[in-house]
Amino acid sequence: MTPTKTSSHLKTMLSLAAATSALALTALPMEAEAATRMRCSHQLPPSHHISKVIERWAAEVKTLSDGNLDVQVFGADSLIKANDNILAVAKGDIECAFSLNFQWGKTLPLMNVTVGPYTMSSIDAWRKWPTSEAAAFLEERLLKKGVRNVVWMFQTNTSVFTSKGKPLLTPADFRGQKMRGIGPAFDRGLKAMGATPVAIPGSEVYQALATGVIDSAITDVAAAWSRKYYEVQDHMTVVPVLAAYLHGYVNPRWYDTLTDKDKAALKKAGEDAAGWALEASQEAAASAPAELESKGVKVHIATAEENAAFKAAMAPAFAEGFADETGADGRKLLELVQKLQ
């Protein structure tokens, strides 16, 4: 059957429409690839100075990766509990987390090297830390435990012994105190002074103090403010007894799937954030004592003689425990730390 003039015209119009649609589609920008999700868990409350540094770090990672790394931060134990973060990242349940060094406990006791009583309280040493041999040594050991370190965040070299009713000014004052501990090796020093250390996550210490489960605690001076310890403790003794840091780490298998650009973004953001954390921590440590006093806390800055007495009581017990837990690796790490002093 011979096509009519109308049917031929219709075919021509349809062909033109199809061609036009195809041309229009090729002119449209390609749909952007989905960003790589990066869920990061940590325990700190929003008001904590390091919590704010983590938020800044996350924004920097996203910027440097041109939005390809979608960093989602979950603070205050809102995604994973503090003591479960390490395993969650190692297993790949989440991509990223932050932990305090002493939360590694017996899994990697080397991480506790800086909590040795009066071992590393120098700010100059902490400025060198992120790119030091000591940090690289720990990064290698962390990888063997199933996580890849991406950022070091110095938190404090200024702690407080908190108490209620009377201050803790001498080793003898610790006798009979049920006290929040921070890890096996450090807690040996508390035991040496007569205290009974109790293992409690940071997010639960306030309630434990309020209800009398424990009598006293040791914490970062800025954390005593941000966690509102002043509501349940009325005496605080400021001591440079330990240095603590938070560190950010990711699942190695997830990391290996990233582009070189995204890996570079994590590296640069980590280097920058290490500096931000140091600045923020110094500012927080400087302002916290006065802020605590404004809430009625009797704040005492330990004297040189008082610090010497604490060191004499605590250091030998810590050294014995650290040596038992870490062996040859511990001796090597202590040598590397001494290079920073």
Side-chain angles (χ1 to χ4, degrees), residues 50 53 56-58 60 153 269 271-281:
I50 294 296
V53 173
R56 186 178 175 187
W57 165 84
E60 187 71 356
M153 292 185 178
E271 292 169 351
D272 292 344
W276 302 336
L278 191 61
E279 293 171 3
S281 293

Side-chain angles (χ1 to χ4, degrees), residues 108-190:
L108 188 61
L110 284 170
M111 294 290 279
N112 290 328
V113 66
T114 66
V115 304
Y118 304 88
T119 295
M120 190 169 161
S121 53
S122 164
I123 289 296
D124 286 337
W126 277 104
R127 287 195 179 95
K128 303 171 189 174
W129 175 266
T131 56
S132 69
E133 291 179 88
F137 186 87
L138 284 179
E139 286 173 350
E140 181 183 338
R141 297 307 187 273
L142 285 165
L143 195 55
K144 290 180 179 179
K145 293 296 181 180
V147 302
R148 175 179 285 276
N149 200 75
V150 291
V151 58
W152 299 102
M153 292 185 178
F154 167 77
Q155 180 170 326
T156 186
N157 64 345
T158 309
S159 304
V160 284
F161 292 134
T162 78
S163 56
K164 188 174 183 178
K166 65 175 184 178
L168 302 175
L169 303 178
T170 70
D173 294 330
F174 286 75
R175 290 174 191 158
Q177 290 282 308
K178 289 180 295 181
M179 189 169 192
R180 187 256 179 141
I182 61 172
F186 183 85
D187 291 354
R188 284 184 177 226
L190 298 178

Side-chain angles (χ1 to χ4, degrees), residues 173-237:
D173 294 330
F174 286 75
R175 290 174 191 158
Q177 290 282 308
K178 289 180 295 181
M179 189 169 192
R180 187 256 179 141
I182 61 172
F186 183 85
D187 291 354
R188 284 184 177 226
L190 298 178
K191 289 179 181 178
M193 295 191 294
T196 301
V198 181
I200 300 176
S203 59
E204 298 174 17
V205 175
Y206 177 97
Q207 187 65 18
L209 290 168
T211 58
V213 171
I214 55 175
D215 304 309
S216 53
I218 177 171
T219 190
D220 166 24
V221 64
W225 169 256
S226 64
R227 291 191 182 276
K228 301 183 178 181
Y229 283 17
Y230 52 80
E231 295 180 348
V232 290
Q233 301 272 269
D234 54 17
H235 287 81
M236 298 190 187
T237 301

Side-chain angles (χ1 to χ4, degrees), residues 1-324:
M1 181 170 122
T2 305
T4 64
K5 182 177 181 181
T6 301
S7 64
S8 297
H9 179 69
L10 181 60
K11 286 182 178 180
T12 301
M13 293 298 291
L14 288 172
S15 296
L16 287 171
T20 301
S21 297
L23 184 61
L25 285 172
T26 59
L28 289 173
M30 294 294 289
E31 184 178 349
E33 292 183 10
T36 300
R37 182 174 63 172
M38 184 178 177
R39 294 163 296 176
C40 293
S41 170
H42 71 82
Q43 72 186 66
L44 300 176
S47 59
H48 195 286
H49 63 283
I50 294 296
S51 184
K52 296 173 184 177
V53 173
I54 292 173
E55 294 289 345
R56 186 178 175 187
W57 165 84
E60 187 71 356
V61 170
K62 189 171 184 177
T63 297
L64 293 174
S65 68
D66 289 332
N68 189 50
L69 288 177
D70 179 20
V71 188
Q72 303 168 11
V73 177
F74 300 85
D77 285 342
S78 59
L79 181 64
I80 305 287
K81 293 296 184 183
N83 290 340
D84 299 327
N85 278 328
I86 295 167
L87 183 59
V89 172
K91 289 170 58 181
D93 294 340
I94 57 174
E95 294 76 33
C96 161
F98 289 79
S99 292
L100 289 161
N101 54 315
F102 50 76
Q103 287 172 328
W104 279 89
K106 294 182 179 179
T107 303
L108 188 61
L110 284 170
M111 294 290 279
N112 290 328
V113 66
T114 66
V115 304
Y118 304 88
T119 295
M120 190 169 161
S121 53
S122 164
I123 289 296
D124 286 337
W126 277 104
R127 287 195 179 95
K128 303 171 189 174
W129 175 266
T131 56
S132 69
E133 291 179 88
F137 186 87
L138 284 179
E139 286 173 350
E140 181 183 338
R141 297 307 187 273
L142 285 165
L143 195 55
K144 290 180 179 179
K145 293 296 181 180
V147 302
R148 175 179 285 276
N149 200 75
V150 291
V151 58
W152 299 102
M153 292 185 178
F154 167 77
Q155 180 170 326
T156 186
N157 64 345
T158 309
S159 304
V160 284
F161 292 134
T162 78
S163 56
K164 188 174 183 178
K166 65 175 184 178
L168 302 175
L169 303 178
T170 70
D173 294 330
F174 286 75
R175 290 174 191 158
Q177 290 282 308
K178 289 180 295 181
M179 189 169 192
R180 187 256 179 141
I182 61 172
F186 183 85
D187 291 354
R188 284 184 177 226
L190 298 178
K191 289 179 181 178
M193 295 191 294
T196 301
V198 181
I200 300 176
S203 59
E204 298 174 17
V205 175
Y206 177 97
Q207 187 65 18
L209 290 168
T211 58
V213 171
I214 55 175
D215 304 309
S216 53
I218 177 171
T219 190
D220 166 24
V221 64
W225 169 256
S226 64
R227 291 191 182 276
K228 301 183 178 181
Y229 283 17
Y230 52 80
E231 295 180 348
V232 290
Q233 301 272 269
D234 54 17
H235 287 81
M236 298 190 187
T237 301
V238 181
V239 284
V241 67
L242 63 87
Y245 56 86
L246 198 79
H247 72 115
Y249 50 90
V250 299
N251 178 274
R253 296 179 299 281
W254 174 84
Y255 178 87
D256 289 342
T257 67
L258 300 181
T259 65
D260 288 344
K261 180 177 180 179
D262 290 346
K263 291 176 181 177
L266 281 173
K267 185 175 187 297
K268 180 64 166 62
E271 292 169 351
D272 292 344
W276 302 336
L278 191 61
E279 293 171 3
S281 293
Q282 288 179 273
E283 291 173 7
S287 62
E291 291 171 332
L292 291 165
E293 286 180 328
S294 74
K295 294 296 184 178
V297 175
K298 294 180 180 178
V299 177
H300 173 75
I301 309 298
T303 66
E305 292 77 12
E306 289 164 345
N307 281 317
F310 286 137
K311 182 177 182 179
M314 299 178 72
F318 173 86
E320 181 182 355
F322 189 72
D324 288 347

